[in-house]
Amino acid sequence: MRIIITIFLFFSQLTLVNAAELTDQLLNLKESIDTVWVVTAGALVFFMQAGFALLESGMSRAKNAVNVLMKNYMDVAIGSIAFWLIGYGLLFGNNISGFLGTSHFFLHDENDMDYSLLFFQTMFAATAVTIASGAMAERTRYHAYLIGAIIISGVIYPVFGSWVWGSLYEGKGWLAQLGFIDFAGSTVVHSIGGWVALAGIIVLGPRLGKFSPDNENRKIPGHNLTLVALGGFILWLGWFGFNGGSTVAADTSIGLIVLNTHLAAASGAFGSLLTVILARKPILLTDVVNGSIGGLVAITAGCATMEPVYAIVTGLLAGMVVILSAKILELMKLDDVVGAVAVHGFAGAWGTLAAGIFLKGNMFDLHQILFQLVGIMIAFVWAFPTAYLMYKIIDKTIGLRASTEDEQRGLDFSEHYEIGYPEFQSEMIHKGK
Amino acid sequence: MQQADEVKTKWHAIYIALLNYFNPDDAADAANIWLNEFSEKPVFELQAFITKISNEYNLSVSRKEIQKSMIKMLLMDKSELLAQNVTNTTVIDKINNAKHQPVHIIFTKLILLWLYEVNVINPSAAANIRQYIYDSLANVEENFDQVINIKRWLNSKGSVSYIEHINIGQLRQIFHFCYVGSCEYIGPVNTDKLVAEIAQSLDQTPEGVAFSTKNFF
């Protein structure tokens, strides 16, 4: 009998050891899969930079194409380093006060998952930075723009981000404590970028001749609509990583998130189409592409927390918001080359509100809607004046606006001494420099 | 928009054809008769237009000849029409190639053709651009006589002697003021298109080969 008991105890011990080992192995495997997903999603978000570059360059005139591409290229480069140095710490570092992260600057000697997260979040910072570049295209001095890009990725974006997402290590952002929700950044990334862009275009003023002396808004068409459409498709694809990757884990909720993302983009395009048809205006490719991006921006806040039917409503209304807000900006004589303020600022604000209205299990809750409104307003109150002050200081010190001579020649030549299409622009090559 | 462009091009062609038989002011008036009464009518109505202007202006030239030259111009494409303008002595009629440097000749042609083309699109815009150039020059130029000379030059039909002492840097500045004024009054898209077209046509002329318009950009 004693022998039987001994054998039983031996085998039960063995099973327990095996179960613990198995659990460890499963946890390791899950972490590995999470890492693969987060890094892949980060790469998709990085690819969005190509989308922005094509879209913005296509919407600009040929004489400024290289300048726009150069801004997008350096946004990623400079923005990434600034975010690693200071931005990540401000955003995700220990946040006892709820107002600012105070640790994890120039991240090193941390565990593997932190590095994956830093990589993923760096791409978010680059996205926030690049939004302003399109709005301010064709008349901004390159060096001045880059200084702005460093401050956006290093300070303006992470500070607001810490109020909402700053609970990774210790503490919690004060807006998050209040109940404000923004899953992947309709406000944290996009509206912030949009309001920065708004400040930029106010300080810069419109392009030469954009508004006639009798206040007529003159269309200045972009040079390559094929690039615009291709940029739109790439952004659409990249957004699956932007929203899907924000789970920061490879779990089953990704299916709903990417489905909502896709449906909102589709309905955003349809919403903008419907608006121009109802307004009896021509159906422009640029409006439809901007409508779909507006849908993507809007669903970013609530893609994980609403049913697909509401994702469609969110996207549809975002498409309309994009067209109408762009019109309002035109009436205010604000020259936004690519419509970034409408797409990221206004559609982002609407999407954040929609995330509160259509919150699964708690729909139409007035408290939640109020928290969302507070968050939206705080984002504007933080980003717009700060960016306005920043661009004003840059303008007064080194100069933000390119000279009219440079605008005449095109920034490709005056800022970079190279042009995008030498075969076709030979008559515009200036010989005096 | 495209239709309006087409009408402008046709007006231009008719105007240039009429310059063979009329002085510039009468040619513009006659072309305006076409614009107001015949531009929306079918092509065969051109005959009725020619009859009308022949009677109104007591033209002794054969109507067939006028019609022939008009059809020739109407069949030309826009760049060829511009080239016609470049060599047209009534648009720029005082240039003496022998006396002046190619730089001043080509610059005169460039700016006067530019203003002439703007005038076709929008007559008040051309006057506003001239005014913009004077005002801008008056702000930066210390030499008052220089400004007066440039003003006279802009109002002349190609008297290069007014600007013969102006250096390339100052010519570039005048070009830039003209560009900014043009963007303001006819829009940046029309301006870029117009400048590119005129520059392309001028660079094919002997003066353009000797001194390219690109130097002013």
Short mmCIF file of all heavy atoms in Angstrom, two decimals, chain B residues 152-198:
data_model
loop_
_atom_site.label_atom_id
_atom_site.label_comp_id
_atom_site.label_asym_id
_atom_site.label_seq_id
_atom_site.Cartn_x
_atom_site.Cartn_y
_atom_site.Cartn_z
N ARG B 152 7.44 103.85 -68.04
CA ARG B 152 7.30 104.21 -69.47
C ARG B 152 7.46 102.97 -70.34
O ARG B 152 6.75 102.77 -71.32
CB ARG B 152 8.35 105.25 -69.86
CG ARG B 152 8.01 106.62 -69.33
CD ARG B 152 9.05 107.63 -69.78
NE ARG B 152 8.80 108.93 -69.20
CZ ARG B 152 9.73 109.76 -68.76
NH1 ARG B 152 11.02 109.41 -68.83
NH2 ARG B 152 9.42 110.91 -68.26
N TRP B 153 8.43 102.15 -69.96
CA TRP B 153 8.72 100.94 -70.73
C TRP B 153 7.49 100.01 -70.74
O TRP B 153 7.12 99.47 -71.77
CB TRP B 153 9.93 100.25 -70.09
CG TRP B 153 10.20 98.86 -70.55
CD1 TRP B 153 10.72 98.47 -71.74
CD2 TRP B 153 9.98 97.67 -69.80
NE1 TRP B 153 10.84 97.11 -71.78
CE2 TRP B 153 10.39 96.60 -70.60
CE3 TRP B 153 9.48 97.41 -68.53
CZ2 TRP B 153 10.32 95.28 -70.16
CZ3 TRP B 153 9.41 96.11 -68.09
CH2 TRP B 153 9.82 95.06 -68.91
N LEU B 154 6.85 99.87 -69.56
CA LEU B 154 5.68 98.99 -69.48
C LEU B 154 4.52 99.51 -70.30
O LEU B 154 3.70 98.75 -70.80
CB LEU B 154 5.24 98.84 -68.02
CG LEU B 154 6.02 97.82 -67.19
CD1 LEU B 154 5.66 97.96 -65.72
CD2 LEU B 154 5.74 96.40 -67.65
N ASN B 155 4.43 100.85 -70.41
CA ASN B 155 3.33 101.43 -71.17
C ASN B 155 3.63 101.54 -72.66
O ASN B 155 2.74 101.83 -73.45
CB ASN B 155 2.97 102.81 -70.62
CG ASN B 155 2.23 102.69 -69.32
OD1 ASN B 155 1.46 101.75 -69.13
ND2 ASN B 155 2.48 103.59 -68.39
N SER B 156 4.89 101.33 -73.01
CA SER B 156 5.26 101.41 -74.43
C SER B 156 4.99 100.06 -75.07
O SER B 156 4.61 99.11 -74.41
CB SER B 156 6.74 101.74 -74.56
OG SER B 156 7.50 100.59 -74.25
N LYS B 157 5.19 100.02 -76.37
CA LYS B 157 5.04 98.71 -77.01
C LYS B 157 6.41 98.20 -77.44
O LYS B 157 6.66 97.92 -78.60
CB LYS B 157 4.10 98.82 -78.20
CG LYS B 157 2.66 98.84 -77.75
CD LYS B 157 1.73 98.76 -78.91
CE LYS B 157 0.29 98.71 -78.42
NZ LYS B 157 -0.64 99.01 -79.50
N GLY B 158 7.30 98.16 -76.50
CA GLY B 158 8.59 97.55 -76.78
C GLY B 158 9.75 98.51 -76.91
O GLY B 158 10.72 98.20 -77.60
N SER B 159 9.67 99.68 -76.28
CA SER B 159 10.81 100.59 -76.33
C SER B 159 11.89 100.13 -75.36
O SER B 159 11.92 100.52 -74.20
CB SER B 159 10.36 102.01 -75.97
OG SER B 159 9.48 102.46 -76.94
N VAL B 160 12.78 99.32 -75.89
CA VAL B 160 13.81 98.68 -75.05
C VAL B 160 14.74 99.72 -74.43
O VAL B 160 15.30 99.50 -73.36
CB VAL B 160 14.61 97.66 -75.89
CG1 VAL B 160 15.64 96.94 -75.05
CG2 VAL B 160 13.68 96.67 -76.54
N SER B 161 14.88 100.89 -75.11
CA SER B 161 15.84 101.89 -74.63
C SER B 161 15.58 102.33 -73.18
O SER B 161 16.49 102.70 -72.47
CB SER B 161 15.84 103.10 -75.55
OG SER B 161 14.53 103.57 -75.69
N TYR B 162 14.29 102.24 -72.74
CA TYR B 162 13.98 102.64 -71.36
C TYR B 162 14.68 101.75 -70.32
O TYR B 162 14.90 102.17 -69.20
CB TYR B 162 12.47 102.56 -71.12
CG TYR B 162 11.67 103.65 -71.79
CD1 TYR B 162 10.61 103.33 -72.64
CD2 TYR B 162 11.95 104.99 -71.56
CE1 TYR B 162 9.86 104.32 -73.26
CE2 TYR B 162 11.20 105.99 -72.18
CZ TYR B 162 10.17 105.65 -73.03
OH TYR B 162 9.43 106.63 -73.63
N ILE B 163 14.95 100.50 -70.70
CA ILE B 163 15.52 99.59 -69.68
C ILE B 163 16.94 99.14 -70.03
O ILE B 163 17.47 98.23 -69.40
CB ILE B 163 14.63 98.35 -69.46
CG1 ILE B 163 14.42 97.58 -70.77
CG2 ILE B 163 13.32 98.70 -68.81
CD1 ILE B 163 14.01 96.15 -70.56
N GLU B 164 17.53 99.79 -71.01
CA GLU B 164 18.83 99.27 -71.47
C GLU B 164 19.95 99.36 -70.43
O GLU B 164 20.95 98.67 -70.55
CB GLU B 164 19.25 99.92 -72.80
CG GLU B 164 19.48 101.39 -72.70
CD GLU B 164 19.71 102.03 -74.08
OE1 GLU B 164 19.79 101.29 -75.08
OE2 GLU B 164 19.80 103.25 -74.12
N HIS B 165 19.77 100.21 -69.40
CA HIS B 165 20.81 100.32 -68.37
C HIS B 165 20.53 99.45 -67.15
O HIS B 165 21.29 99.47 -66.19
CB HIS B 165 20.96 101.79 -67.93
CG HIS B 165 21.35 102.67 -69.06
ND1 HIS B 165 22.51 102.47 -69.78
CD2 HIS B 165 20.71 103.72 -69.64
CE1 HIS B 165 22.58 103.39 -70.74
NE2 HIS B 165 21.49 104.14 -70.68
N ILE B 166 19.44 98.72 -67.21
CA ILE B 166 19.07 97.90 -66.05
C ILE B 166 19.81 96.56 -66.11
O ILE B 166 19.85 95.91 -67.16
CB ILE B 166 17.54 97.69 -66.01
CG1 ILE B 166 16.87 99.03 -65.75
CG2 ILE B 166 17.14 96.68 -64.95
CD1 ILE B 166 15.38 98.97 -65.66
N ASN B 167 20.39 96.16 -64.96
CA ASN B 167 21.16 94.91 -64.97
C ASN B 167 20.27 93.69 -64.74
O ASN B 167 19.09 93.82 -64.40
CB ASN B 167 22.31 94.96 -63.95
CG ASN B 167 21.79 95.06 -62.53
OD1 ASN B 167 20.76 94.48 -62.19
ND2 ASN B 167 22.49 95.82 -61.70
N ILE B 168 20.86 92.52 -64.91
CA ILE B 168 20.09 91.28 -64.85
C ILE B 168 19.41 91.08 -63.50
O ILE B 168 18.28 90.59 -63.42
CB ILE B 168 20.99 90.06 -65.23
CG1 ILE B 168 20.21 88.73 -65.20
CG2 ILE B 168 22.21 89.96 -64.37
CD1 ILE B 168 19.37 88.50 -66.40
N GLY B 169 20.08 91.49 -62.43
CA GLY B 169 19.49 91.35 -61.09
C GLY B 169 18.20 92.15 -60.96
O GLY B 169 17.20 91.68 -60.42
N GLN B 170 18.25 93.38 -61.50
CA GLN B 170 17.05 94.23 -61.42
C GLN B 170 15.94 93.69 -62.34
O GLN B 170 14.76 93.77 -62.00
CB GLN B 170 17.41 95.66 -61.81
CG GLN B 170 18.26 96.35 -60.74
CD GLN B 170 18.86 97.64 -61.26
OE1 GLN B 170 19.48 97.67 -62.33
NE2 GLN B 170 18.71 98.71 -60.50
N LEU B 171 16.36 93.14 -63.49
CA LEU B 171 15.35 92.56 -64.39
C LEU B 171 14.65 91.38 -63.71
O LEU B 171 13.43 91.23 -63.82
CB LEU B 171 16.01 92.08 -65.70
CG LEU B 171 16.59 93.17 -66.60
CD1 LEU B 171 17.23 92.55 -67.84
CD2 LEU B 171 15.51 94.17 -67.04
N ARG B 172 15.44 90.60 -62.98
CA ARG B 172 14.85 89.47 -62.24
C ARG B 172 13.84 89.97 -61.22
O ARG B 172 12.80 89.34 -60.99
CB ARG B 172 15.94 88.68 -61.51
CG ARG B 172 16.57 87.64 -62.38
CD ARG B 172 17.40 86.68 -61.55
NE ARG B 172 18.29 85.97 -62.44
CZ ARG B 172 19.60 85.86 -62.27
NH1 ARG B 172 20.18 86.39 -61.22
NH2 ARG B 172 20.32 85.20 -63.13
N GLN B 173 14.18 91.10 -60.60
CA GLN B 173 13.29 91.66 -59.60
C GLN B 173 11.96 92.11 -60.25
O GLN B 173 10.88 91.84 -59.72
CB GLN B 173 13.97 92.85 -58.94
CG GLN B 173 13.37 93.20 -57.61
CD GLN B 173 14.18 94.24 -56.89
OE1 GLN B 173 14.71 95.17 -57.51
NE2 GLN B 173 14.29 94.10 -55.59
N ILE B 174 12.07 92.73 -61.42
CA ILE B 174 10.85 93.16 -62.13
C ILE B 174 10.02 91.92 -62.50
O ILE B 174 8.80 91.90 -62.34
CB ILE B 174 11.20 93.97 -63.41
CG1 ILE B 174 11.93 95.25 -63.03
CG2 ILE B 174 9.95 94.29 -64.21
CD1 ILE B 174 12.54 95.98 -64.22
N PHE B 175 10.72 90.90 -62.98
CA PHE B 175 10.04 89.64 -63.33
C PHE B 175 9.29 89.11 -62.11
O PHE B 175 8.14 88.69 -62.20
CB PHE B 175 11.07 88.61 -63.81
CG PHE B 175 10.46 87.26 -64.10
CD1 PHE B 175 9.99 86.96 -65.37
CD2 PHE B 175 10.36 86.29 -63.11
CE1 PHE B 175 9.41 85.72 -65.64
CE2 PHE B 175 9.80 85.06 -63.37
CZ PHE B 175 9.32 84.78 -64.64
N HIS B 176 9.97 89.14 -60.95
CA HIS B 176 9.35 88.60 -59.74
C HIS B 176 8.12 89.40 -59.33
O HIS B 176 7.09 88.83 -58.96
CB HIS B 176 10.38 88.58 -58.59
CG HIS B 176 9.79 88.12 -57.30
ND1 HIS B 176 9.27 86.86 -57.14
CD2 HIS B 176 9.59 88.76 -56.12
CE1 HIS B 176 8.79 86.74 -55.91
NE2 HIS B 176 8.97 87.88 -55.28
N PHE B 177 8.21 90.72 -59.43
CA PHE B 177 7.04 91.55 -59.09
C PHE B 177 5.88 91.25 -60.04
O PHE B 177 4.72 91.20 -59.63
CB PHE B 177 7.39 93.04 -59.14
CG PHE B 177 8.33 93.47 -58.05
CD1 PHE B 177 9.28 94.46 -58.27
CD2 PHE B 177 8.27 92.88 -56.79
CE1 PHE B 177 10.15 94.85 -57.26
CE2 PHE B 177 9.14 93.27 -55.78
CZ PHE B 177 10.09 94.24 -56.02
N CYS B 178 6.22 91.05 -61.29
CA CYS B 178 5.19 90.73 -62.28
C CYS B 178 4.56 89.37 -61.93
O CYS B 178 3.34 89.20 -62.02
CB CYS B 178 5.82 90.69 -63.68
SG CYS B 178 4.60 90.60 -64.98
N TYR B 179 5.41 88.43 -61.48
CA TYR B 179 4.92 87.10 -61.12
C TYR B 179 3.96 87.18 -59.92
O TYR B 179 2.87 86.61 -59.95
CB TYR B 179 6.11 86.18 -60.79
CG TYR B 179 5.68 84.77 -60.45
CD1 TYR B 179 5.52 83.82 -61.46
CD2 TYR B 179 5.42 84.39 -59.14
CE1 TYR B 179 5.12 82.53 -61.17
CE2 TYR B 179 5.01 83.11 -58.83
CZ TYR B 179 4.87 82.18 -59.84
OH TYR B 179 4.45 80.90 -59.55
N VAL B 180 4.38 87.91 -58.89
CA VAL B 180 3.55 88.02 -57.68
C VAL B 180 2.22 88.71 -58.04
O VAL B 180 1.14 88.25 -57.65
CB VAL B 180 4.29 88.79 -56.56
CG1 VAL B 180 3.38 88.99 -55.35
CG2 VAL B 180 5.55 88.05 -56.14
N GLY B 181 2.30 89.80 -58.80
CA GLY B 181 1.09 90.51 -59.21
C GLY B 181 0.17 89.62 -60.04
O GLY B 181 -1.04 89.59 -59.84
N SER B 182 0.78 88.86 -60.92
CA SER B 182 0.01 87.96 -61.78
C SER B 182 -0.68 86.87 -60.95
O SER B 182 -1.84 86.55 -61.18
CB SER B 182 0.95 87.35 -62.81
OG SER B 182 0.26 86.55 -63.70
N CYS B 183 0.04 86.32 -59.95
CA CYS B 183 -0.57 85.31 -59.06
C CYS B 183 -1.76 85.92 -58.33
O CYS B 183 -2.80 85.28 -58.17
CB CYS B 183 0.45 84.83 -58.01
SG CYS B 183 1.63 83.66 -58.66
N GLU B 184 -1.57 87.16 -57.91
CA GLU B 184 -2.62 87.84 -57.14
C GLU B 184 -3.87 88.06 -58.00
O GLU B 184 -4.97 87.83 -57.54
CB GLU B 184 -2.05 89.19 -56.67
CG GLU B 184 -2.81 89.87 -55.59
CD GLU B 184 -2.67 89.18 -54.23
OE1 GLU B 184 -1.87 88.24 -54.06
OE2 GLU B 184 -3.39 89.60 -53.35
N TYR B 185 -3.68 88.49 -59.26
CA TYR B 185 -4.83 88.92 -60.04
C TYR B 185 -5.38 87.88 -61.02
O TYR B 185 -6.55 87.93 -61.37
CB TYR B 185 -4.52 90.23 -60.77
CG TYR B 185 -4.36 91.36 -59.79
CD1 TYR B 185 -3.10 91.85 -59.44
CD2 TYR B 185 -5.47 91.91 -59.16
CE1 TYR B 185 -2.95 92.85 -58.49
CE2 TYR B 185 -5.33 92.91 -58.21
CZ TYR B 185 -4.07 93.38 -57.89
OH TYR B 185 -3.95 94.36 -56.93
N ILE B 186 -4.56 86.94 -61.47
CA ILE B 186 -5.16 85.90 -62.34
C ILE B 186 -4.96 84.50 -61.74
O ILE B 186 -5.39 83.51 -62.32
CB ILE B 186 -4.62 85.94 -63.79
CG1 ILE B 186 -3.13 85.60 -63.85
CG2 ILE B 186 -4.92 87.26 -64.46
CD1 ILE B 186 -2.66 85.24 -65.25
N GLY B 187 -4.29 84.42 -60.60
CA GLY B 187 -4.14 83.12 -59.92
C GLY B 187 -2.83 82.44 -60.27
O GLY B 187 -2.30 82.62 -61.38
N PRO B 188 -2.30 81.64 -59.34
CA PRO B 188 -1.00 81.01 -59.55
C PRO B 188 -1.00 79.96 -60.66
O PRO B 188 0.00 79.79 -61.35
CB PRO B 188 -0.69 80.36 -58.20
CG PRO B 188 -1.97 80.31 -57.46
CD PRO B 188 -2.85 81.39 -58.00
N VAL B 189 -2.12 79.28 -60.84
CA VAL B 189 -2.16 78.22 -61.86
C VAL B 189 -2.08 78.85 -63.26
O VAL B 189 -1.26 78.44 -64.09
CB VAL B 189 -3.43 77.36 -61.70
CG1 VAL B 189 -3.51 76.32 -62.81
CG2 VAL B 189 -3.44 76.69 -60.34
N ASN B 190 -2.92 79.87 -63.50
CA ASN B 190 -2.89 80.56 -64.80
C ASN B 190 -1.52 81.19 -65.03
O ASN B 190 -1.00 81.18 -66.15
CB ASN B 190 -3.95 81.67 -64.84
CG ASN B 190 -5.33 81.09 -65.05
OD1 ASN B 190 -5.47 80.03 -65.62
ND2 ASN B 190 -6.34 81.78 -64.55
N THR B 191 -0.94 81.74 -63.96
CA THR B 191 0.35 82.42 -64.10
C THR B 191 1.44 81.44 -64.52
O THR B 191 2.16 81.69 -65.50
CB THR B 191 0.74 83.09 -62.76
OG1 THR B 191 -0.26 84.04 -62.44
CG2 THR B 191 2.09 83.77 -62.85
N ASP B 192 1.54 80.32 -63.80
CA ASP B 192 2.59 79.35 -64.13
C ASP B 192 2.44 78.83 -65.57
O ASP B 192 3.41 78.67 -66.29
CB ASP B 192 2.55 78.17 -63.14
CG ASP B 192 3.23 78.51 -61.82
OD1 ASP B 192 4.07 79.44 -61.81
OD2 ASP B 192 2.93 77.88 -60.80
N LYS B 193 1.17 78.61 -65.94
CA LYS B 193 0.89 78.07 -67.28
C LYS B 193 1.31 79.09 -68.34
O LYS B 193 2.01 78.76 -69.30
CB LYS B 193 -0.61 77.81 -67.38
CG LYS B 193 -0.99 76.63 -68.24
CD LYS B 193 -2.45 76.33 -68.03
CE LYS B 193 -3.14 76.16 -69.36
NZ LYS B 193 -4.58 76.05 -69.25
N LEU B 194 0.91 80.33 -68.10
CA LEU B 194 1.18 81.41 -69.06
C LEU B 194 2.69 81.64 -69.21
O LEU B 194 3.21 81.71 -70.32
CB LEU B 194 0.50 82.67 -68.53
CG LEU B 194 0.18 83.76 -69.52
CD1 LEU B 194 -0.78 83.23 -70.55
CD2 LEU B 194 -0.48 84.94 -68.78
N VAL B 195 3.37 81.73 -68.09
CA VAL B 195 4.82 82.00 -68.13
C VAL B 195 5.54 80.86 -68.85
O VAL B 195 6.41 81.10 -69.69
CB VAL B 195 5.39 82.18 -66.71
CG1 VAL B 195 6.91 82.35 -66.75
CG2 VAL B 195 4.78 83.39 -66.04
N ALA B 196 5.15 79.63 -68.53
CA ALA B 196 5.81 78.48 -69.17
C ALA B 196 5.59 78.51 -70.68
O ALA B 196 6.52 78.28 -71.46
CB ALA B 196 5.29 77.18 -68.56
N GLU B 197 4.36 78.82 -71.10
CA GLU B 197 4.05 78.84 -72.54
C GLU B 197 4.82 79.95 -73.26
O GLU B 197 5.41 79.73 -74.32
CB GLU B 197 2.55 79.04 -72.75
CG GLU B 197 1.74 77.77 -72.53
CD GLU B 197 0.23 78.02 -72.58
OE1 GLU B 197 -0.20 79.19 -72.70
OE2 GLU B 197 -0.50 77.03 -72.47
N ILE B 198 4.81 81.14 -72.68
CA ILE B 198 5.49 82.27 -73.33
C ILE B 198 6.99 82.01 -73.38
O ILE B 198 7.64 82.22 -74.41
CB ILE B 198 5.20 83.60 -72.59
CG1 ILE B 198 3.72 83.95 -72.71
CG2 ILE B 198 6.03 84.74 -73.16
CD1 ILE B 198 3.28 85.11 -71.85
#
